[in-house]
């Protein structure tokens, strides 16, 4: 953890996302702000876009899904609030 968001790496954010998801039920999701707060508790807001980018990389690797209102979305075109979750078997929301 740090209070300097400029010292946070892409790998730090990816690890934070994975660690938070590992600590939750398989059907749970997290908000990008959860990961940002995990690495920079008092100065997390500048990390919101980097967390979204980390989630996109993890989605490309098949490790997470990015959702909006419970539906998996295309990370290249999504706008607005998102959630991050572990992949679900086909057809499960």
């Amino acid at each position: 953890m740090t209070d300097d968001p400029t010292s946070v790496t892409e790998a730090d954010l990816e690890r934070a996302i994975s660690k938070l998801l590992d600590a939750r039920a398989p059907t749970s999701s997290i908000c990008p702000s959860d990961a940002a707060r995990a690495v920079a508790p008092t100065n997390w807001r500048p990390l919101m876009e980097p967390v979204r980018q980390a989630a996109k990389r993890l989605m490309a690797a098949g490790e997470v899904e990015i959702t909006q209102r419970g539906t998996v979305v295309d990370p290249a075109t999504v706008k607005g609030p998102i959630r991050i979750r572990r992949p679900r078997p086909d057809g499960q929301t």
Side-chain angles (χ1 to χ4, degrees), residues 9-89:
T9 67
E10 292 175 356
D12 292 334
L13 296 173
E14 291 172 12
R15 276 192 299 274
I17 291 168
S18 292
K19 186 176 178 181
L20 288 166
L21 289 172
D22 288 346
R24 305 230 175 148
T27 56
S28 294
S29 64
I30 63 167
C31 178
S33 66
D34 296 332
R37 285 181 176 107
V39 295
T42 61
N43 195 14
W44 56 271
R45 289 187 191 278
L47 293 174
M48 289 300 293
E49 185 56 31
V51 169
R52 289 172 71 101
Q53 295 302 316
K56 288 178 185 181
R57 288 189 300 276
L58 291 171
M59 186 168 178
E63 295 182 35
V64 303
E65 294 175 333
I66 295 173
T67 65
Q68 218 170 31
R69 292 181 288 281
T71 301
V72 176
V73 293
D74 180 351
T77 59
V78 68
K79 298 203 184 307
I82 63 168
R83 302 284 296 175
I84 306 164
R85 69 182 190 191
R86 292 288 184 202
R88 309 271 169 88

